[in-house]
Amino acid sequence: PRPGRRRRPPAPVNNLFKEDIFASQEVFPLPRWLFSVLASRLVCCHWDRSLWASTMAIVLLGAALLIIQPQAVPSRPTVSSKGEATMQPAQKEPFKKNDFKETIRPNGTFQQLPQTVIIGVRKGGTRALLEMLSLHPDIAAAESEVHYFDWEQHFGNGLQWYADQMPFSYPHQITVEKTPAYFTSPKVPERVYSMNKFIRLLLILRDPTERVLSDYTQVLFNHMQKHKPYPSIEELLVKDGELNVNYKAINRSLYYVHMQNWLKYFPLDRIHIVDGDKLIKDPFPEIVKVERFLKLAPQINASNFYFNKTKGFYCLRDSGRERCLHESKGRAHPKVDPVLLEKLHGYFHEPNRKFFELVGRTFDWH
């Protein structure tokens, strides 16, 4: 204070003013100690209620802006020109290992989620691939197609149910499941990624035109067994004089379209493509590549395969025991007008070219 001027005694802080100060804390939950400091400063400096209200408005506004600041949202994964996922979707793992009730048998085996999935393609040779891969002692394969990721009634059962469908295996073994419909189902890649982003995927493909004919043949025989009529292949392939591109069998052979969806979530080094046409003609070299991809010790030999002249394809020999694929495999395709076949070849030419560019390799397809 200036000389000769008396200091004015501090004005008393009434109870109502104190209540206003600490009531603000209840309205906006800042730390109580901060309000205490503000209150003591206000008392010391003789601030009035209007000044207190202005000050608190500024403080509360600043705190509110900090809290409601929008959080950064990761973008959807994109695909580079080389077909590699440049960003993985930010998703929390839906399960933990401890969430599962593992029933361990006396011999040390238990059921576990698959570390490898054969995702397709339908009529591409998935059953042959699984049977051949099962020759390896470190492979435990699910017998039937589980359809966990593409059937809602199964997916709704949760991962514990999925694990329960797997075979009992030893800890060192790789559990494999195959469902060919996975490859062409748009929602499956993200679901598989959410389960295990490090999973190894196997995809077996064959000439798209041959795959269409094989697809038709299977459905035709299914109807014949049930004594139900089914249209000829020409009726399904042609509509109003033009190729019926809405025919589901044709759509399944558009590998480029479906592969793009998978590469949004998995890089190419997580997807091994098996040449289905070569697997039929000479299976051993293709299986060696699969062993290498799965980081398996080389156990399958050329002696595990022999050509069955009666059936017209390779069968398996395991520990002196011989077995062939089911009689439903290797059925003869219906005869198709050569002009119609050329239309199919022409239709698939551009999608095939895009697929070759996407995966960085070519196949001997029409």
Side-chain angles (χ1 to χ4, degrees):
R2 295 179 182 178
R5 180 172 294 185
R6 297 178 58 187
R7 182 191 298 270
R8 186 170 58 180
V13 181
N14 59 42
N15 290 333
L16 181 59
F17 191 43
K18 292 180 181 178
E19 292 174 2
D20 286 346
I21 294 174
F22 291 104
S24 302
Q25 183 189 23
E26 297 178 0
V27 174
F28 200 90
L30 290 178
R32 190 176 182 86
W33 63 268
L34 178 58
F35 282 92
S36 299
V37 172
L38 288 173
S40 63
R41 296 299 297 168
L42 291 173
V43 171
C44 173
C45 300
H46 317 294
W47 289 7
D48 57 20
R49 294 187 64 157
S50 62
L51 186 56
W52 157 255
S54 301
T55 303
M56 285 307 302
I58 295 173
V59 172
L60 296 178
L61 178 60
L65 290 175
L66 288 174
I67 290 178
I68 66 175
Q69 183 178 359
Q71 301 297 318
V73 179
S75 63
R76 296 275 302 180
T78 58
V79 181
S80 68
S81 59
K82 295 182 179 180
E84 296 180 353
T86 57
M87 180 181 296
Q88 302 292 1
Q91 292 182 338
K92 184 178 179 181
E93 292 290 341
F95 75 97
K96 296 179 180 178
K97 189 172 182 180
N98 294 334
D99 292 339
F100 290 95
K101 299 177 181 178
E102 296 177 347
T103 302
I104 302 178
R105 289 179 171 180
N107 63 358
T109 61
F110 62 100
Q111 291 170 299
Q112 56 184 327
L113 290 172
Q115 297 90 15
T116 297
V117 175
I118 300 175
I119 59 175
V121 63
R122 170 172 159 151
K123 305 311 297 178
T126 56
R127 173 52 62 180
L129 175 60
L130 186 66
E131 292 292 333
M132 294 174 184
L133 193 55
S134 297
L135 292 170
H136 200 289
D138 291 343
I139 291 293
E143 290 295 328
S144 59
E145 298 174 5
V146 181
H147 285 279
Y148 173 70
F149 294 105
D150 63 324
W151 288 2
E152 295 302 323
Q153 63 268 35
H154 286 177
F155 188 71
N157 292 331
L159 286 169
Q160 178 66 63
W161 179 89
Y162 186 38
D164 291 342
Q165 311 311 307
M166 298 300 116
F168 280 84
S169 60
Y170 291 99
H172 71 275
Q173 289 183 306
I174 296 177
T175 299
V176 181
E177 186 249 321
K178 104 169 170 73
T179 300
Y182 288 163
F183 181 60
T184 56
S185 178
K187 56 196 170 187
V188 169
E190 184 176 9
R191 290 178 173 183
V192 175
Y193 177 88
S194 297
M195 179 191 74
N196 181 3
K197 62 183 179 181
F198 300 112
I199 197 169
R200 293 184 181 273
L201 305 171
L202 292 173
L203 172 64
I204 180 168
L205 301 176
R206 61 190 298 195
D207 185 301
T209 299
E210 291 298 315
R211 201 220 61 81
V212 169
L213 301 181
S214 184
D215 197 320
Y216 169 83
T217 302
Q218 175 175 293
V219 179
L220 173 65
F221 271 81
N222 289 342
H223 278 71
M224 289 175 60
Q225 288 178 342
K226 299 175 182 178
H227 304 287
K228 293 182 178 180
Y230 196 67
S232 68
I233 190 168
E234 286 81 8
E235 292 179 80
L236 294 174
L237 286 176
V238 179
K239 184 177 182 180
D240 299 327
E242 298 293 332
L243 193 65
N244 181 15
V245 296
N246 293 321
Y247 179 33
K248 288 184 179 180
I250 291 181
N251 179 268
R252 294 188 188 106
S253 286
L254 294 175
Y255 304 147
Y256 166 73
V257 174
H258 306 300
M259 192 66 174
Q260 278 188 311
N261 195 27
W262 283 90
L263 290 177
K264 292 177 183 178
Y265 299 92
F266 296 96
L268 271 175
D269 60 9
R270 286 281 161 183
I271 307 174
H272 177 70
I273 303 175
V274 180
D275 190 326
D277 297 308
K278 289 184 177 179
L279 188 75
I280 295 173
K281 299 174 182 176
D282 189 9
F284 178 60
E286 287 297 311
I287 290 299
V288 169
K289 295 175 185 177
V290 175
E291 279 184 318
R292 192 178 303 122
F293 172 71
L294 298 179
K295 301 185 182 301
L296 292 168
Q299 294 284 341
I300 303 176
N301 303 307
S303 60
N304 291 122
F305 307 94
Y306 72 96
F307 188 78
N308 188 307
K309 294 182 179 180
T310 303
K311 293 183 174 293
F313 54 79
Y314 278 87
C315 294
L316 310 179
R317 184 183 291 115
D318 184 16
S319 301
R321 184 171 58 90
E322 298 180 353
R323 71 177 190 270
C324 292
L325 297 177
H326 190 267
E327 60 182 8
S328 63
K329 307 300 179 181
R331 290 188 180 121
H333 294 167
K335 292 183 179 181
V336 182
D337 188 321
V339 176
L340 185 54
L341 279 180
E342 283 303 314
K343 284 188 177 182
L344 273 176
H345 294 157
Y347 176 76
F348 286 123
H349 178 75
E350 184 61 17
N352 289 348
R353 186 194 64 78
K354 290 182 178 180
F355 179 76
F356 298 161
E357 183 178 344
L358 186 66
V359 301
R361 59 183 286 198
T362 60
F363 295 82
D364 189 18
W365 299 337
H366 289 97

